Amino acid sequence: MRIIDLFQGISTMFYQDPEIVIFRIILIFVGFLLVYLGNKGTLEPLIMIPMGLGMSAVNAGVLFMDNGQMGNLIIDPLLKTTDDLMKYMQIDFLQPIYTLTFSNGLIACLVFMGIGILCDIGYVLEHPFISMTIALFAELGTVATFPIAKLMGLADGAAAAVSIIGGADGPMVLFASLKLAPKYFVPISIVAYLYLSLTYGGYPYLIKLMIPKELRGKEIKKSDKPVQKITSREKIVFAVIANALLCLLFPVAAPLFLSFFVGIVIREAKISSYVKLIGDNFLYFATFFLGLVLGVLCDASTLLDPTVFKLLILGVLSLTLSGIGGIIGGYVIYFIRKGNFNPTVGIAGVSCVPTTAKVAQKAAMKVNPCASILDYSLGANICGVITTAILTAIYITLLS
């Protein structure tokens, strides 16, 4: 036995194809980079730090298995038979998490519950027409990317799943890719979360490009009429009816709608024990394992596929088109209201809650510290979650 065989992470490199070895090494260092950027705050640390650690570990920790093949003791997403599944759930330490929470979409639903807890649906009810109009325009990337993906050679399911990236909603992309393109679930989800972390850095430049300075800093004049505050009871009634109606119309996305509106109703009912359970436990549990499992799924042999490059291009395109569409929606409202609106709100229609709403507010206040557009931005932001879920349901209904 050679000494090098004691260190199987290294010795396996001598038995793999050179391109896989090189890609393994690259992904190890990409994992280091994700941890660094997450720790620095350039990317979302809650996702990127565990993802980076998982990515570097799974590509470093390759060993020889009993069957003579190479693998790892962390996870195997390609198991097919019940016997293999039961066997490796007792061997691979993240296999139970993947099998019981990822492959059935539970992890996405847990995140959606947490998003519901964070969302004040009152912003939507205060400005329903504005919020929904902007959210619909912000689905430009979700709709327009599909035919482009088809022209680039992707199958219907994969084209639809990568198009959902334009909604800037990670759990939605996860849910859609599992239903429509399980073969590309890993790269599509990774591309989505990498790019969603960059929206905070990229969208301000899009705002500057499309909206002149005087409009970015425009204050929205409030009506002289007294505004009646939306009560918790009204929010609950809306959430209950919207949940039932959307589940009735789009039952394939019922788990997402139910999870989202459960969070909203619990928040408004002020059930503090549940709010704490979902907001402090479920959400962070799901976010942590989402990042970690996506990281360990970044195996070199899995990602070494020419289609991944297409997904990278389409992911950027989808998010860019959605941002452009949202800003166009902001301009539409600006003209409808005869200039009494700030089109910067449009970027918040891209439903990365609450990141894009913060981006809009920050862009406005950078020009004019008195420009307060956060209430309109949050309304569009929350509506964006709903419209993206509806489009996801339509894609799944038509293509699955």
Side-chain angles (χ1 to χ4, degrees):
M1 181 179 181
R2 298 176 302 173
I3 292 179
I4 192 71
D5 291 333
L6 289 172
F7 309 105
Q8 292 192 39
I10 298 173
S11 64
T12 50
M13 293 184 178
F14 293 97
Y15 293 88
Q16 290 180 311
D17 294 334
E19 59 267 23
I20 292 180
V21 174
I22 293 169
F23 202 43
R24 272 179 63 187
I25 295 170
I26 291 172
L27 287 175
I28 290 170
F29 283 97
V30 170
F32 295 165
L33 180 64
L34 292 181
V35 173
Y36 169 75
L37 294 176
N39 185 54
K40 192 178 178 182
T42 305
L43 299 179
E44 173 54 61
L46 293 177
I47 290 284
M48 291 302 147
I49 289 178
M51 182 186 286
L53 284 166
M55 185 182 295
S56 58
V58 78
N59 286 286
V62 179
L63 74 163
F64 296 103
M65 307 297 284
D66 292 339
N67 55 12
Q69 295 180 340
M70 283 173 272
N72 62 75
L73 295 178
I74 301 175
I75 197 169
D76 186 347
L78 302 177
L79 298 175
K80 294 181 180 179
T81 68
T82 305
D83 289 346
D84 282 345
L85 189 60
M86 294 305 296
K87 175 184 175 182
Y88 284 98
M89 280 181 68
Q90 301 174 67
I91 297 174
D92 296 346
F93 95 99
L94 283 177
Q95 197 69 47
I97 295 291
Y98 176 77
T99 302
L100 299 175
T101 65
F102 272 74
S103 56
N104 58 8
L106 174 61
I107 201 84
C109 292
L110 290 176
V111 174
F112 246 55
M113 282 186 197
I115 293 173
I117 289 288
L118 297 175
C119 289
D120 185 349
I121 201 73
Y123 292 116
V124 175
L125 298 179
E126 285 175 7
H127 315 289
F129 175 74
I130 292 172
S131 299
M132 188 55 72
T133 300
I134 289 174
L136 288 171
F137 272 91
E139 297 298 341
L140 176 63
T142 311
V143 175
T145 304
F146 180 78
I148 298 171
K150 287 289 294 174
L151 288 173
M152 291 178 68
L154 267 63
D156 289 348
V162 76
S163 298
I164 298 296
I165 292 176
D169 196 316
M172 206 82 70
V173 175
L174 188 73
F175 187 84
S177 58
L178 282 168
K179 299 291 184 185
L180 294 171
K183 180 181 177 182
Y184 296 114
F185 149 67
V186 176
I188 288 174
S189 299
I190 292 164
V191 166
Y193 275 95
L194 283 174
Y195 287 155
L196 295 191
S197 296
L198 293 171
T199 54
Y200 199 80
Y203 274 171
Y205 295 101
L206 186 62
I207 292 170
K208 287 181 181 179
L209 182 66
M210 293 186 65
I211 304 173
K213 189 173 182 179
E214 60 270 19
L215 290 184
R216 291 202 304 272
K218 186 173 183 59
E219 296 180 50
I220 302 174
K221 296 177 183 178
K222 305 290 184 181
S223 173
D224 294 331
K225 298 178 182 178
V227 179
Q228 187 176 359
K229 187 176 180 181
I230 307 296
T231 66
S232 291
R233 183 179 178 180
E234 290 169 331
K235 295 175 189 177
I236 291 172
V237 169
F238 171 80
V240 170
I241 294 173
N243 176 55
L245 181 61
L246 289 171
C247 288
L248 180 68
L249 296 175
F250 308 105
V252 291
L256 293 176
F257 292 128
L258 173 60
S259 301
F260 180 62
F261 287 111
V262 158
I264 288 174
V265 171
I266 286 172
R267 171 196 171 102
E268 297 305 328
K270 297 179 176 60
I271 308 175
S272 57
S273 55
Y274 283 175
V275 170
K276 187 174 182 180
L277 174 68
I278 297 171
D280 293 346
N281 297 314
F282 285 4
L283 181 57
Y284 287 107
F285 166 87
T287 303
F288 170 74
F289 278 108
L290 190 58
L292 186 61
V293 171
L294 286 177
V296 299
L297 288 172
C298 291
D299 177 77
S301 56
T302 302
L303 296 184
L304 200 61
D305 184 329
T307 305
V308 174
F309 181 67
K310 295 179 183 178
L311 298 176
L312 287 168
I313 295 173
L314 289 166
V316 172
L317 177 66
S318 189
L319 278 172
T320 303
L321 288 174
S322 287
I324 291 170
I327 291 173
I328 292 172
Y331 274 117
V332 168
I333 298 298
Y334 173 81
F335 289 115
I336 289 175
R337 297 189 61 173
K338 299 178 180 177
N340 185 27
F341 194 70
N342 189 326
T344 308
V345 173
I347 202 71
V350 183
S351 67
C352 190
V353 179
T355 301
T356 48
K358 291 180 180 178
V359 167
Q361 179 61 58
K362 188 176 179 181
M365 290 190 71
K366 202 169 184 179
V367 177
N368 178 6
C370 297
S372 178
I373 60 173
L374 191 60
D375 53 344
Y376 291 95
S377 299
L378 285 169
N381 219 193
I382 296 166
C383 263
V385 176
I386 298 171
T387 53
T388 303
I390 290 171
L391 278 170
T392 300
I394 291 172
Y395 274 133
I396 294 173
T397 302
L398 293 176
L399 301 176
S400 63

